[in-house]
Amino acid sequence: MDHIVTPAAVAAESEETIARQDSTVAIAAFVGLAAALVMLFPFPPVLDYANHYARIWLLSGGIGEQPFPQIYAIDWSRTFTNVGIDILGTWLGPLVGPDRLARTLLFLAIVLPPLGAVGLHRALFGGRHHWQTAILSLGWCATMIGGFINFQIGLGMALAFACVDLRLQGRNPALLFAWRLAAALLLTVMHIFSLGFYMAIVCGLEFSWRFDIVRSRAGLLRLARRLALALGACALPPAVLYLRTPALPGGGGDGLALAWNDGIVLIVMNLLSAIVTYIPLVDVVLFLPLILICTRAARAGDIRIHAGLAVAACGLLLLSCVSPRHMLGTGWISWRFPIMTALVAMAMVCPFANLTRRQAVLLALVINLAVFGRTGWIGWNWWLAQKDVAAVETVLKKVPAGAAVLPLEHDAETTISFAYSSRYFFMKEETFWHLPTLAVPFAHAFVPTIFTAKGKQPLSVLSPWSEIAVPEGNLLSIGVLSCPAMMQEYKGFTPYLSDWRNRFDFILVANADLSDRTVGTFMPAGLRLVEDAGFAKLYAIDKATPAEPLVPPAACAAAS
């Protein structure tokens, strides 16, 4: 299976007419464009990025500035995984500055996964095939736009470590075991899912190129022994760290808190997370040529496939279909496996390695149009979002240091619209949920939704601020202030809503230039508009106003 037959038309050509493919220029251009996007747009529409930025700012030294010594503390015993960017924030943030570090980490989250897959492809197939340019398209996916920075960097690390692993296989077993221990330790610290990804790749590489290994008992025994040693080396570091940590993700006593992708439609949508960004239809159209290249190569018989990685990809595909959407306080778990599957799938195949010069030029043209078309689509949305970021920065200038800011949103009816495409991604999730957390570095103010989850982040909230803080949160509709039923529904897991009028000084409303689907633009009594910047509005809270103002009954009836 390592080399499906070369087509007769190409075989008949002399060696001189077979094109020498080279993806180097395209790869360099993609990396340069990604760097340019990160430099041009400091806060792109990447969901978690603003929250990560605020935490990096605190860990880089901001926690020592008033009023934060009384609000936050750093406790590294809270977690052993998912802390890669936190460690870098503590070590490098004071040296290079939190802004430069945060942008660098975002850049790495974009480019490392596809570059790691390109490196593995070159290690397996040799040469600089045009298909390696196609792999770059996976730099844009739902987990990237979701801002899963530790996870994304971990994927790239896992692929890079797999390239080293491939070189060490068949050499000194002790050296290989030691390498896998070190790689597993680094990946565990970065993100536990990246370790699982590395283990899947390593198992696929151990399986080798062909299925012949499963046809003999001796071969199966050798394979089982190698896989046991590989998995044992990879499992040892997280097991040791697990035994010494006092907190695990989601260890709040709520059990597994499982939520599933029920139904074929949700499963298919979940699989599309590997390529979807802002408007799914655009991404599918731009990715479709890459799929057609593989199907056409298979029909022509000019395709090479690594059998072991094909088995690994099938396993990851199965996990993509059966894994829960949420579990143990961690959201969008099921998003993690489709991008792993896609990275392995694109690294394991080499379509159209034997082309004439004219055919190679055509192949390169199609691939480059698809890849850089998607990059241009991302750039358009990042540019579009900058006016929203500017609106948030404008209203934050009116927030005094030490104030407590309650973030809310206009929960608008979401429809596919290019005018507001940057505000939503994948399954109509908002990209602006965490923009209000910029109040921490920009205004030295408190917001209740900075990431401080036990088992995931070393940052914790001190009392009494912890009474109005959540370890992970998003924006609720402004209707929660006016509709008792909505307040009752949410206050169980958003304790900051209790007595909000007395505990907060300001309300920052995002997406304010669109009408809320529940209450329109209605706000309860006792709120004074301080600044209206379009996308963002800032209200000062009059604490003397009664806690239960009159509410438009029709709006609240619709909300319930």
Side-chain angles (χ1 to χ4, degrees), residues 50-72:
N51 203 314
H52 289 315
Y53 181 96
R55 196 172 75 259
I56 290 171
W57 182 86
L58 288 167
L59 295 172
S60 298
I63 197 171
E65 301 180 16
Q66 290 298 327
F68 298 120
Q70 290 76 46
I71 299 177
Y72 297 107

mmCIF file with all atom_site columns, all heavy atoms in Angstrom, residues 50-72:
data_model
loop_
_atom_site.group_PDB
_atom_site.id
_atom_site.type_symbol
_atom_site.label_atom_id
_atom_site.label_alt_id
_atom_site.label_comp_id
_atom_site.label_asym_id
_atom_site.label_entity_id
_atom_site.label_seq_id
_atom_site.pdbx_PDB_ins_code
_atom_site.Cartn_x
_atom_site.Cartn_y
_atom_site.Cartn_z
_atom_site.occupancy
_atom_site.B_iso_or_equiv
_atom_site.pdbx_formal_charge
_atom_site.auth_seq_id
_atom_site.auth_comp_id
_atom_site.auth_asym_id
_atom_site.auth_atom_id
_atom_site.pdbx_PDB_model_num
ATOM 1   N N   . ALA A 1 50 ? -8.320  37.005 23.790 1.00 0.00 ? 50 ALA A N   1
ATOM 2   C CA  . ALA A 1 50 ? -8.302  38.167 24.698 1.00 0.00 ? 50 ALA A CA  1
ATOM 3   C C   . ALA A 1 50 ? -8.199  37.717 26.147 1.00 0.00 ? 50 ALA A C   1
ATOM 4   O O   . ALA A 1 50 ? -7.516  38.361 26.963 1.00 0.00 ? 50 ALA A O   1
ATOM 5   C CB  . ALA A 1 50 ? -9.559  39.010 24.493 1.00 0.00 ? 50 ALA A CB  1
ATOM 6   N N   . ASN A 1 51 ? -8.853  36.619 26.499 1.00 0.00 ? 51 ASN A N   1
ATOM 7   C CA  . ASN A 1 51 ? -8.775  36.104 27.864 1.00 0.00 ? 51 ASN A CA  1
ATOM 8   C C   . ASN A 1 51 ? -7.373  35.593 28.167 1.00 0.00 ? 51 ASN A C   1
ATOM 9   O O   . ASN A 1 51 ? -6.818  35.852 29.248 1.00 0.00 ? 51 ASN A O   1
ATOM 10  C CB  . ASN A 1 51 ? -9.807  34.988 28.039 1.00 0.00 ? 51 ASN A CB  1
ATOM 11  C CG  . ASN A 1 51 ? -10.208 34.778 29.484 1.00 0.00 ? 51 ASN A CG  1
ATOM 12  O OD1 . ASN A 1 51 ? -9.365  34.717 30.371 1.00 0.00 ? 51 ASN A OD1 1
ATOM 13  N ND2 . ASN A 1 51 ? -11.506 34.665 29.722 1.00 0.00 ? 51 ASN A ND2 1
ATOM 14  N N   . HIS A 1 52 ? -6.773  34.877 27.211 1.00 0.00 ? 52 HIS A N   1
ATOM 15  C CA  . HIS A 1 52 ? -5.387  34.429 27.384 1.00 0.00 ? 52 HIS A CA  1
ATOM 16  C C   . HIS A 1 52 ? -4.456  35.630 27.503 1.00 0.00 ? 52 HIS A C   1
ATOM 17  O O   . HIS A 1 52 ? -3.518  35.623 28.321 1.00 0.00 ? 52 HIS A O   1
ATOM 18  C CB  . HIS A 1 52 ? -4.956  33.571 26.194 1.00 0.00 ? 52 HIS A CB  1
ATOM 19  C CG  . HIS A 1 52 ? -5.601  32.220 26.148 1.00 0.00 ? 52 HIS A CG  1
ATOM 20  N ND1 . HIS A 1 52 ? -5.713  31.406 27.253 1.00 0.00 ? 52 HIS A ND1 1
ATOM 21  C CD2 . HIS A 1 52 ? -6.165  31.532 25.121 1.00 0.00 ? 52 HIS A CD2 1
ATOM 22  C CE1 . HIS A 1 52 ? -6.312  30.275 26.905 1.00 0.00 ? 52 HIS A CE1 1
ATOM 23  N NE2 . HIS A 1 52 ? -6.608  30.339 25.624 1.00 0.00 ? 52 HIS A NE2 1
ATOM 24  N N   . TYR A 1 53 ? -4.709  36.658 26.704 1.00 0.00 ? 53 TYR A N   1
ATOM 25  C CA  . TYR A 1 53 ? -3.874  37.860 26.757 1.00 0.00 ? 53 TYR A CA  1
ATOM 26  C C   . TYR A 1 53 ? -3.916  38.484 28.151 1.00 0.00 ? 53 TYR A C   1
ATOM 27  O O   . TYR A 1 53 ? -2.872  38.858 28.707 1.00 0.00 ? 53 TYR A O   1
ATOM 28  C CB  . TYR A 1 53 ? -4.359  38.863 25.712 1.00 0.00 ? 53 TYR A CB  1
ATOM 29  C CG  . TYR A 1 53 ? -3.552  40.143 25.663 1.00 0.00 ? 53 TYR A CG  1
ATOM 30  C CD1 . TYR A 1 53 ? -2.527  40.288 24.740 1.00 0.00 ? 53 TYR A CD1 1
ATOM 31  C CD2 . TYR A 1 53 ? -3.813  41.202 26.520 1.00 0.00 ? 53 TYR A CD2 1
ATOM 32  C CE1 . TYR A 1 53 ? -1.780  41.455 24.676 1.00 0.00 ? 53 TYR A CE1 1
ATOM 33  C CE2 . TYR A 1 53 ? -3.075  42.369 26.476 1.00 0.00 ? 53 TYR A CE2 1
ATOM 34  C CZ  . TYR A 1 53 ? -2.058  42.493 25.552 1.00 0.00 ? 53 TYR A CZ  1
ATOM 35  O OH  . TYR A 1 53 ? -1.312  43.647 25.513 1.00 0.00 ? 53 TYR A OH  1
ATOM 36  N N   . ALA A 1 54 ? -5.115  38.608 28.714 1.00 0.00 ? 54 ALA A N   1
ATOM 37  C CA  . ALA A 1 54 ? -5.248  39.211 30.038 1.00 0.00 ? 54 ALA A CA  1
ATOM 38  C C   . ALA A 1 54 ? -4.503  38.383 31.087 1.00 0.00 ? 54 ALA A C   1
ATOM 39  O O   . ALA A 1 54 ? -3.850  38.937 31.993 1.00 0.00 ? 54 ALA A O   1
ATOM 40  C CB  . ALA A 1 54 ? -6.725  39.336 30.409 1.00 0.00 ? 54 ALA A CB  1
ATOM 41  N N   . ARG A 1 55 ? -4.600  37.042 30.976 1.00 0.00 ? 55 ARG A N   1
ATOM 42  C CA  . ARG A 1 55 ? -3.906  36.187 31.950 1.00 0.00 ? 55 ARG A CA  1
ATOM 43  C C   . ARG A 1 55 ? -2.389  36.273 31.767 1.00 0.00 ? 55 ARG A C   1
ATOM 44  O O   . ARG A 1 55 ? -1.639  36.302 32.747 1.00 0.00 ? 55 ARG A O   1
ATOM 45  C CB  . ARG A 1 55 ? -4.392  34.743 31.812 1.00 0.00 ? 55 ARG A CB  1
ATOM 46  C CG  . ARG A 1 55 ? -4.036  33.880 33.002 1.00 0.00 ? 55 ARG A CG  1
ATOM 47  C CD  . ARG A 1 55 ? -4.682  32.512 32.936 1.00 0.00 ? 55 ARG A CD  1
ATOM 48  N NE  . ARG A 1 55 ? -4.052  31.628 31.975 1.00 0.00 ? 55 ARG A NE  1
ATOM 49  C CZ  . ARG A 1 55 ? -4.517  31.357 30.770 1.00 0.00 ? 55 ARG A CZ  1
ATOM 50  N NH1 . ARG A 1 55 ? -5.641  31.909 30.356 1.00 0.00 ? 55 ARG A NH1 1
ATOM 51  N NH2 . ARG A 1 55 ? -3.880  30.532 29.965 1.00 0.00 ? 55 ARG A NH2 1
ATOM 52  N N   . ILE A 1 56 ? -1.926  36.304 30.519 1.00 0.00 ? 56 ILE A N   1
ATOM 53  C CA  . ILE A 1 56 ? -0.487  36.459 30.276 1.00 0.00 ? 56 ILE A CA  1
ATOM 54  C C   . ILE A 1 56 ? 0.004   37.781 30.837 1.00 0.00 ? 56 ILE A C   1
ATOM 55  O O   . ILE A 1 56 ? 1.096   37.866 31.422 1.00 0.00 ? 56 ILE A O   1
ATOM 56  C CB  . ILE A 1 56 ? -0.203  36.352 28.756 1.00 0.00 ? 56 ILE A CB  1
ATOM 57  C CG1 . ILE A 1 56 ? -0.409  34.912 28.281 1.00 0.00 ? 56 ILE A CG1 1
ATOM 58  C CG2 . ILE A 1 56 ? 1.208   36.825 28.440 1.00 0.00 ? 56 ILE A CG2 1
ATOM 59  C CD1 . ILE A 1 56 ? -0.367  34.761 26.774 1.00 0.00 ? 56 ILE A CD1 1
ATOM 60  N N   . TRP A 1 57 ? -0.811  38.823 30.683 1.00 0.00 ? 57 TRP A N   1
ATOM 61  C CA  . TRP A 1 57 ? -0.435  40.133 31.228 1.00 0.00 ? 57 TRP A CA  1
ATOM 62  C C   . TRP A 1 57 ? -0.287  40.063 32.744 1.00 0.00 ? 57 TRP A C   1
ATOM 63  O O   . TRP A 1 57 ? 0.674   40.609 33.306 1.00 0.00 ? 57 TRP A O   1
ATOM 64  C CB  . TRP A 1 57 ? -1.494  41.168 30.846 1.00 0.00 ? 57 TRP A CB  1
ATOM 65  C CG  . TRP A 1 57 ? -1.182  42.555 31.307 1.00 0.00 ? 57 TRP A CG  1
ATOM 66  C CD1 . TRP A 1 57 ? -0.427  43.501 30.677 1.00 0.00 ? 57 TRP A CD1 1
ATOM 67  C CD2 . TRP A 1 57 ? -1.636  43.163 32.529 1.00 0.00 ? 57 TRP A CD2 1
ATOM 68  N NE1 . TRP A 1 57 ? -0.365  44.649 31.420 1.00 0.00 ? 57 TRP A NE1 1
ATOM 69  C CE2 . TRP A 1 57 ? -1.100  44.476 32.564 1.00 0.00 ? 57 TRP A CE2 1
ATOM 70  C CE3 . TRP A 1 57 ? -2.424  42.731 33.585 1.00 0.00 ? 57 TRP A CE3 1
ATOM 71  C CZ2 . TRP A 1 57 ? -1.332  45.347 33.628 1.00 0.00 ? 57 TRP A CZ2 1
ATOM 72  C CZ3 . TRP A 1 57 ? -2.660  43.600 34.655 1.00 0.00 ? 57 TRP A CZ3 1
ATOM 73  C CH2 . TRP A 1 57 ? -2.124  44.880 34.667 1.00 0.00 ? 57 TRP A CH2 1
ATOM 74  N N   . LEU A 1 58 ? -1.194  39.392 33.419 1.00 0.00 ? 58 LEU A N   1
ATOM 75  C CA  . LEU A 1 58 ? -1.102  39.246 34.871 1.00 0.00 ? 58 LEU A CA  1
ATOM 76  C C   . LEU A 1 58 ? 0.131   38.445 35.265 1.00 0.00 ? 58 LEU A C   1
ATOM 77  O O   . LEU A 1 58 ? 0.878   38.830 36.177 1.00 0.00 ? 58 LEU A O   1
ATOM 78  C CB  . LEU A 1 58 ? -2.356  38.568 35.415 1.00 0.00 ? 58 LEU A CB  1
ATOM 79  C CG  . LEU A 1 58 ? -3.640  39.408 35.422 1.00 0.00 ? 58 LEU A CG  1
ATOM 80  C CD1 . LEU A 1 58 ? -4.853  38.522 35.693 1.00 0.00 ? 58 LEU A CD1 1
ATOM 81  C CD2 . LEU A 1 58 ? -3.553  40.511 36.481 1.00 0.00 ? 58 LEU A CD2 1
ATOM 82  N N   . LEU A 1 59 ? 0.369   37.320 34.581 1.00 0.00 ? 59 LEU A N   1
ATOM 83  C CA  . LEU A 1 59 ? 1.499   36.459 34.918 1.00 0.00 ? 59 LEU A CA  1
ATOM 84  C C   . LEU A 1 59 ? 2.834   37.096 34.572 1.00 0.00 ? 59 LEU A C   1
ATOM 85  O O   . LEU A 1 59 ? 3.867   36.744 35.151 1.00 0.00 ? 59 LEU A O   1
ATOM 86  C CB  . LEU A 1 59 ? 1.359   35.116 34.199 1.00 0.00 ? 59 LEU A CB  1
ATOM 87  C CG  . LEU A 1 59 ? 0.168   34.254 34.611 1.00 0.00 ? 59 LEU A CG  1
ATOM 88  C CD1 . LEU A 1 59 ? 0.036   33.050 33.685 1.00 0.00 ? 59 LEU A CD1 1
ATOM 89  C CD2 . LEU A 1 59 ? 0.303   33.787 36.053 1.00 0.00 ? 59 LEU A CD2 1
ATOM 90  N N   . SER A 1 60 ? 2.828   38.041 33.637 1.00 0.00 ? 60 SER A N   1
ATOM 91  C CA  . SER A 1 60 ? 4.068   38.712 33.229 1.00 0.00 ? 60 SER A CA  1
ATOM 92  C C   . SER A 1 60 ? 4.469   39.829 34.188 1.00 0.00 ? 60 SER A C   1
ATOM 93  O O   . SER A 1 60 ? 5.495   40.483 33.964 1.00 0.00 ? 60 SER A O   1
ATOM 94  C CB  . SER A 1 60 ? 3.915   39.275 31.813 1.00 0.00 ? 60 SER A CB  1
ATOM 95  O OG  . SER A 1 60 ? 3.674   38.256 30.881 1.00 0.00 ? 60 SER A OG  1
ATOM 96  N N   . GLY A 1 61 ? 3.688   40.058 35.205 1.00 0.00 ? 61 GLY A N   1
ATOM 97  C CA  . GLY A 1 61 ? 4.008   41.100 36.183 1.00 0.00 ? 61 GLY A CA  1
ATOM 98  C C   . GLY A 1 61 ? 2.853   42.001 36.515 1.00 0.00 ? 61 GLY A C   1
ATOM 99  O O   . GLY A 1 61 ? 2.894   42.736 37.513 1.00 0.00 ? 61 GLY A O   1
ATOM 100 N N   . GLY A 1 62 ? 1.789   41.967 35.712 1.00 0.00 ? 62 GLY A N   1
ATOM 101 C CA  . GLY A 1 62 ? 0.641   42.823 35.984 1.00 0.00 ? 62 GLY A CA  1
ATOM 102 C C   . GLY A 1 62 ? -0.042  42.518 37.298 1.00 0.00 ? 62 GLY A C   1
ATOM 103 O O   . GLY A 1 62 ? -0.686  43.400 37.886 1.00 0.00 ? 62 GLY A O   1
ATOM 104 N N   . ILE A 1 63 ? 0.110   41.297 37.791 1.00 0.00 ? 63 ILE A N   1
ATOM 105 C CA  . ILE A 1 63 ? -0.522  40.923 39.054 1.00 0.00 ? 63 ILE A CA  1
ATOM 106 C C   . ILE A 1 63 ? 0.032   41.732 40.231 1.00 0.00 ? 63 ILE A C   1
ATOM 107 O O   . ILE A 1 63 ? -0.611  41.845 41.278 1.00 0.00 ? 63 ILE A O   1
ATOM 108 C CB  . ILE A 1 63 ? -0.346  39.405 39.306 1.00 0.00 ? 63 ILE A CB  1
ATOM 109 C CG1 . ILE A 1 63 ? -1.338  38.918 40.364 1.00 0.00 ? 63 ILE A CG1 1
ATOM 110 C CG2 . ILE A 1 63 ? 1.087   39.071 39.685 1.00 0.00 ? 63 ILE A CG2 1
ATOM 111 C CD1 . ILE A 1 63 ? -1.380  37.409 40.504 1.00 0.00 ? 63 ILE A CD1 1
ATOM 112 N N   . GLY A 1 64 ? 1.197   42.318 40.041 1.00 0.00 ? 64 GLY A N   1
ATOM 113 C CA  . GLY A 1 64 ? 1.791   43.144 41.090 1.00 0.00 ? 64 GLY A CA  1
ATOM 114 C C   . GLY A 1 64 ? 1.296   44.575 41.090 1.00 0.00 ? 64 GLY A C   1
ATOM 115 O O   . GLY A 1 64 ? 1.616   45.344 42.011 1.00 0.00 ? 64 GLY A O   1
ATOM 116 N N   . GLU A 1 65 ? 0.512   44.968 40.060 1.00 0.00 ? 65 GLU A N   1
ATOM 117 C CA  . GLU A 1 65 ? -0.005  46.334 39.980 1.00 0.00 ? 65 GLU A CA  1
ATOM 118 C C   . GLU A 1 65 ? -1.381  46.413 40.631 1.00 0.00 ? 65 GLU A C   1
ATOM 119 O O   . GLU A 1 65 ? -2.176  45.482 40.557 1.00 0.00 ? 65 GLU A O   1
ATOM 120 C CB  . GLU A 1 65 ? -0.082  46.768 38.509 1.00 0.00 ? 65 GLU A CB  1
ATOM 121 C CG  . GLU A 1 65 ? 1.257   46.728 37.793 1.00 0.00 ? 65 GLU A CG  1
ATOM 122 C CD  . GLU A 1 65 ? 1.157   47.165 36.341 1.00 0.00 ? 65 GLU A CD  1
ATOM 123 O OE1 . GLU A 1 65 ? 0.133   47.778 35.982 1.00 0.00 ? 65 GLU A OE1 1
ATOM 124 O OE2 . GLU A 1 65 ? 2.100   46.886 35.570 1.00 0.00 ? 65 GLU A OE2 1
ATOM 125 N N   . GLN A 1 66 ? -1.656  47.528 41.274 1.00 0.00 ? 66 GLN A N   1
ATOM 126 C CA  . GLN A 1 66 ? -2.943  47.705 41.956 1.00 0.00 ? 66 GLN A CA  1
ATOM 127 C C   . GLN A 1 66 ? -4.097  47.728 40.955 1.00 0.00 ? 66 GLN A C   1
ATOM 128 O O   . GLN A 1 66 ? -3.943  48.250 39.849 1.00 0.00 ? 66 GLN A O   1
ATOM 129 C CB  . GLN A 1 66 ? -2.920  49.006 42.770 1.00 0.00 ? 66 GLN A CB  1
ATOM 130 C CG  . GLN A 1 66 ? -2.018  48.957 43.973 1.00 0.00 ? 66 GLN A CG  1
ATOM 131 C CD  . GLN A 1 66 ? -2.445  47.892 44.977 1.00 0.00 ? 66 GLN A CD  1
ATOM 132 O OE1 . GLN A 1 66 ? -3.635  47.593 45.142 1.00 0.00 ? 66 GLN A OE1 1
ATOM 133 N NE2 . GLN A 1 66 ? -1.459  47.317 45.653 1.00 0.00 ? 66 GLN A NE2 1
ATOM 134 N N   . PRO A 1 67 ? -5.224  47.118 41.299 1.00 0.00 ? 67 PRO A N   1
ATOM 135 C CA  . PRO A 1 67 ? -5.597  46.501 42.584 1.00 0.00 ? 67 PRO A CA  1
ATOM 136 C C   . PRO A 1 67 ? -5.397  44.996 42.638 1.00 0.00 ? 67 PRO A C   1
ATOM 137 O O   . PRO A 1 67 ? -5.942  44.318 43.493 1.00 0.00 ? 67 PRO A O   1
ATOM 138 C CB  . PRO A 1 67 ? -7.100  46.805 42.627 1.00 0.00 ? 67 PRO A CB  1
ATOM 139 C CG  . PRO A 1 67 ? -7.528  46.650 41.191 1.00 0.00 ? 67 PRO A CG  1
ATOM 140 C CD  . PRO A 1 67 ? -6.375  47.172 40.364 1.00 0.00 ? 67 PRO A CD  1
ATOM 141 N N   . PHE A 1 68 ? -4.611  44.433 41.705 1.00 0.00 ? 68 PHE A N   1
ATOM 142 C CA  . PHE A 1 68 ? -4.605  42.990 41.496 1.00 0.00 ? 68 PHE A CA  1
ATOM 143 C C   . PHE A 1 68 ? -3.961  42.160 42.604 1.00 0.00 ? 68 PHE A C   1
ATOM 144 O O   . PHE A 1 68 ? -4.311  40.984 42.748 1.00 0.00 ? 68 PHE A O   1
ATOM 145 C CB  . PHE A 1 68 ? -3.987  42.680 40.143 1.00 0.00 ? 68 PHE A CB  1
ATOM 146 C CG  . PHE A 1 68 ? -4.780  43.281 39.011 1.00 0.00 ? 68 PHE A CG  1
ATOM 147 C CD1 . PHE A 1 68 ? -4.201  44.198 38.144 1.00 0.00 ? 68 PHE A CD1 1
ATOM 148 C CD2 . PHE A 1 68 ? -6.109  42.976 38.842 1.00 0.00 ? 68 PHE A CD2 1
ATOM 149 C CE1 . PHE A 1 68 ? -4.931  44.772 37.123 1.00 0.00 ? 68 PHE A CE1 1
ATOM 150 C CE2 . PHE A 1 68 ? -6.853  43.545 37.815 1.00 0.00 ? 68 PHE A CE2 1
ATOM 151 C CZ  . PHE A 1 68 ? -6.265  44.447 36.956 1.00 0.00 ? 68 PHE A CZ  1
ATOM 152 N N   . PRO A 1 69 ? -3.037  42.709 43.432 1.00 0.00 ? 69 PRO A N   1
ATOM 153 C CA  . PRO A 1 69 ? -2.550  41.881 44.541 1.00 0.00 ? 69 PRO A CA  1
ATOM 154 C C   . PRO A 1 69 ? -3.660  41.451 45.501 1.00 0.00 ? 69 PRO A C   1
ATOM 155 O O   . PRO A 1 69 ? -3.529  40.428 46.184 1.00 0.00 ? 69 PRO A O   1
ATOM 156 C CB  . PRO A 1 69 ? -1.536  42.799 45.245 1.00 0.00 ? 69 PRO A CB  1
ATOM 157 C CG  . PRO A 1 69 ? -1.057  43.712 44.173 1.00 0.00 ? 69 PRO A CG  1
ATOM 158 C CD  . PRO A 1 69 ? -2.263  43.963 43.310 1.00 0.00 ? 69 PRO A CD  1
ATOM 159 N N   . GLN A 1 70 ? -4.743  42.224 45.568 1.00 0.00 ? 70 GLN A N   1
ATOM 160 C CA  . GLN A 1 70 ? -5.867  41.869 46.426 1.00 0.00 ? 70 GLN A CA  1
ATOM 161 C C   . GLN A 1 70 ? -6.921  41.014 45.701 1.00 0.00 ? 70 GLN A C   1
ATOM 162 O O   . GLN A 1 70 ? -7.889  40.569 46.321 1.00 0.00 ? 70 GLN A O   1
ATOM 163 C CB  . GLN A 1 70 ? -6.549  43.126 46.963 1.00 0.00 ? 70 GLN A CB  1
ATOM 164 C CG  . GLN A 1 70 ? -5.722  43.907 47.976 1.00 0.00 ? 70 GLN A CG  1
ATOM 165 C CD  . GLN A 1 70 ? -4.609  44.709 47.315 1.00 0.00 ? 70 GLN A CD  1
ATOM 166 O OE1 . GLN A 1 70 ? -4.819  45.377 46.311 1.00 0.00 ? 70 GLN A OE1 1
ATOM 167 N NE2 . GLN A 1 70 ? -3.414  44.617 47.892 1.00 0.00 ? 70 GLN A NE2 1
ATOM 168 N N   . ILE A 1 71 ? -6.730  40.794 44.412 1.00 0.00 ? 71 ILE A N   1
ATOM 169 C CA  . ILE A 1 71 ? -7.739  40.073 43.628 1.00 0.00 ? 71 ILE A CA  1
ATOM 170 C C   . ILE A 1 71 ? -7.249  38.701 43.185 1.00 0.00 ? 71 ILE A C   1
ATOM 171 O O   . ILE A 1 71 ? -7.992  37.716 43.272 1.00 0.00 ? 71 ILE A O   1
ATOM 172 C CB  . ILE A 1 71 ? -8.149  40.905 42.392 1.00 0.00 ? 71 ILE A CB  1
ATOM 173 C CG1 . ILE A 1 71 ? -8.765  42.238 42.826 1.00 0.00 ? 71 ILE A CG1 1
ATOM 174 C CG2 . ILE A 1 71 ? -9.136  40.127 41.516 1.00 0.00 ? 71 ILE A CG2 1
ATOM 175 C CD1 . ILE A 1 71 ? -9.139  43.148 41.667 1.00 0.00 ? 71 ILE A CD1 1
ATOM 176 N N   . TYR A 1 72 ? -5.997  38.600 42.706 1.00 0.00 ? 72 TYR A N   1
ATOM 177 C CA  . TYR A 1 72 ? -5.503  37.357 42.129 1.00 0.00 ? 72 TYR A CA  1
ATOM 178 C C   . TYR A 1 72 ? -4.280  36.838 42.874 1.00 0.00 ? 72 TYR A C   1
ATOM 179 O O   . TYR A 1 72 ? -3.540  37.592 43.512 1.00 0.00 ? 72 TYR A O   1
ATOM 180 C CB  . TYR A 1 72 ? -5.134  37.561 40.654 1.00 0.00 ? 72 TYR A CB  1
ATOM 181 C CG  . TYR A 1 72 ? -6.302  37.936 39.779 1.00 0.00 ? 72 TYR A CG  1
ATOM 182 C CD1 . TYR A 1 72 ? -6.440  39.238 39.286 1.00 0.00 ? 72 TYR A CD1 1
ATOM 183 C CD2 . TYR A 1 72 ? -7.270  37.000 39.436 1.00 0.00 ? 72 TYR A CD2 1
ATOM 184 C CE1 . TYR A 1 72 ? -7.506  39.593 38.482 1.00 0.00 ? 72 TYR A CE1 1
ATOM 185 C CE2 . TYR A 1 72 ? -8.345  37.341 38.628 1.00 0.00 ? 72 TYR A CE2 1
ATOM 186 C CZ  . TYR A 1 72 ? -8.454  38.647 38.158 1.00 0.00 ? 72 TYR A CZ  1
ATOM 187 O OH  . TYR A 1 72 ? -9.524  38.996 37.367 1.00 0.00 ? 72 TYR A OH  1
#
